[in-house]
């Protein structure tokens, strides 16, 4: 138990090594912030669960250095095919795939089973010198002005870990949330349940997401979705309100056989299974003193629309740079902006996913559509938050608080450079537009002069003639936008951040 008790000057203790906790751990590790990650599970999670990575999450993953691996591990969503028995009654897509645009390099959701995503994140954390302390469960916590003391149990013994801050990324049943006394407001609908399983099947093609709606109740569909990058399918079945299915292989087989009329489909292997219940809940605060919540620990909602994992990743991405700055001496109030910015996003996500889920349960004709642009999370904005400093008159293009778009440019030698290449890393970036086809970017201690050959940067940022400064935060949102450089300096002062001079 020595290592549990060591007071090794840990700045941040992350509880939970799901996608949220791992994202935060990577972000802190690349900033050199000492942190520990504990997870009560002795082994990594093996289920496919959150399989849809939205465009904004792909951008975040690019910044964190894992996008190539994520792209290689997955694939696009296949078209859907609905049946009545063996007969095909409908074919279509969740949404039509879009071409990449200069400002949006990854316009479509990318399918990667959650166990692969977390494996890739764990590998990235290891590259940065971090690791997950498995089989280590948080069982209690206390805090004082100087830090948090977590009580953890491992192999039947308990010990304590002292940290400056603690982040509960411990999922929907969060112990951190309960220990910190944060209420989980909302509802659980016991009658709305879904059996989910990862299966291997023969007699069914992998080019379609196969759906068998219940003839008398189209909301109660059984589906097999081929999981990109694997030989698995994700099996899902809405459960009748009056039944209590087992999460066993025979139960999965029986449900599939009943739905398909035994159309030659054979389940040869049933792996991870889970019975999901409809919970639509969130906390009303993300912070109690030195304790924060992120991901499912702070908000849970139906999986329709593929938002949960994505929202958790972006919670972590919003919090990481703020924790690092405050630990380096920035005012503590910066950490309050985490709740101010992320809580309204969770509230929106609850609304969107619940509406889609409701349409699915009702068997609405367009229930399968996923072309609501909000699902991509590129439009998530912190405009109304405390860190948005917009000093320009109303104009097209992103305002302070909005996501800062990408744009392909060229450097002084004519080599292609994307703005995202320059944003990548833990720093803030200052774009200086001069009103013509030139701009400079000061980022991470260097200055790069760019030629906006296609006018993409000016279009994306909607800049008029004259000089415009756009300061991009480490998490890729516009912090301050102004025609006056002094506004940028005041903003950086307020954050407690510096812009290293090249
Ligand atoms: C069928 C289904 C489909 C889904 N599809 C999508 C999708 O397409 N897109 C999407 O974005 N989301 C989807 N989701 C949601 C997604 O799976 C979750 O939102 C995501 O797993 C949340 O990540 P997290 O890291 O916050 O929490 P979790 O993944 O739940 O991780 C929490 C971790 O904390 C650990 N832990 C718990 N308690 C303790 C403790 N006391 N001490 C230490 N460790 C602890 C757990 O072992 C676990 O590893 C889907 C979910 C389901 C069920």
């Amino acid at each position: 138990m020595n290592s549990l008790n060591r007071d090794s000057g840990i700045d941040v203790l992350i509880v939970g090594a799901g996608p949220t906790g791992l994202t935060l751990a990577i972000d802190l590790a690349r900033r050199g912030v000492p942190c520990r990650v504990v997870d009560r599970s002795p082994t990594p999670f093996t289920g496919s669960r959150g399989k849809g990575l939205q465009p904004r999450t792909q951008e975040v993953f690019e910044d964190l250095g894992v996008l190539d691996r994520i792209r290689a591990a997955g694939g696009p969503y296949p078209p859907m095919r609905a049946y009545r028995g063996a007969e095909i009654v409908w074919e279509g897509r969740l949404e039509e795939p879009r071409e990449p645009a200069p400002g949006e390099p990854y316009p479509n959701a990318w399918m990667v089973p959650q166990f692969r995503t977390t494996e890739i994140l764990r590998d990235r954390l290891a590259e940065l010198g971090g690791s997950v302390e498995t089989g280590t469960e948080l069982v209690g916590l206390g805090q004082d002005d100087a830090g948090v003391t977590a009580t953890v149990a491992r192999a039947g013994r308990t010990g304590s870990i002292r940290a400056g801050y603690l982040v509960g990324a411990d999922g929907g049943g969060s112990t951190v949330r309960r220990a910190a006394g944060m209420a989980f407001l909302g509802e659980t609908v016991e009658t709305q349940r879904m059996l989910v399983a990862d299966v291997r099947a023969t007699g069914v093609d992998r080019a379609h997401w196969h759906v068998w709606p219940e003839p008398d109740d189209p909301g109660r569909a059984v589906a097999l979705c081929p999981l990109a990058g694997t030989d698995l399918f994700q099996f899902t079945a809405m459960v009748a309100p009056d039944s209590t299915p087992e999460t066993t292989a025979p139960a999965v087989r029986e449900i599939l056989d009943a739905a398909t009329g035994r159309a030659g489909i054979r389940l040869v292997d049933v792996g991870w299974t889970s019975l999901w219940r409809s919970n639509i809940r969130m906390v009303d605060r993300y912070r109690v003193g030195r304790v924060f919540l992120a991901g499912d620990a702070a908000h849970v909602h139906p999986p329709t629309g593929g938002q949960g994992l994505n929202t958790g990743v972006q919670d972590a991405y919003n919090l990481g740079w703020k924790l690092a700055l405050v630990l380096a001496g920035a005012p503590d109030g910066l950490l309050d902006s985490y709740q101010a910015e992320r809580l309204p996003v969770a509230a929106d996500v609850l609304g969107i996913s619940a509406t889609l889920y409701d349409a699915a349960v009702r068997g609405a004709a367009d229930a399968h559509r996923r072309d609501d642009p909000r699902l991509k999370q590129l439009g998530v904005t912190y405009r109304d938050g405390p860190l948005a400093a917009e000093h320009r008159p109303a104009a097209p293009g992103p305002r302070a608080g909005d996501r800062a778009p990408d744009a392909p440019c060229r450097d002084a030698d004519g080599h292609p450079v994307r703005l995202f290449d320059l944003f990548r890393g833990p720093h803030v970036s200052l774009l200086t537009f001069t009103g013509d086809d030139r701009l400079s970017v000061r980022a991470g201690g260097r200055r790069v002069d760019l030629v906006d050959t296609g006018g993409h940067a000016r279009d994306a940022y909607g800049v008029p003639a004259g000089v415009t400064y756009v300061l991009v935060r480490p998490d890729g949102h516009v912090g301050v936008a102004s025609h006056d450089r002094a506004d940028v300096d005041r903003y950086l002062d307020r954050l407690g951040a510096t812009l290293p001079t090249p």
Side-chain angles (χ1 to χ4, degrees), residues 15-21 38-41 49-52 77 114 136-139 169-172 175 194 196 234 236 276 294-297 303 306-312:
V15 182
T20 305
V38 296
D39 197 293
R40 75 174 165 202
S41 174
R49 255 171 89 178
K51 60 187 181 303
Y77 272 73
Q114 187 164 325
T136 307
E137 178 174 10
L138 177 124
V139 292
D170 51 344
T175 305
M194 182 167 63
V196 191
Q234 188 183 62
T236 51
W276 170 89
D296 274 20
Q307 299 290 289
L309 182 157
N310 293 276
T311 307

Side-chain angles (χ1 to χ4, degrees), residues 384-395:
D384 298 329
L387 298 185
E390 179 60 66
H391 296 274
R392 301 167 299 172

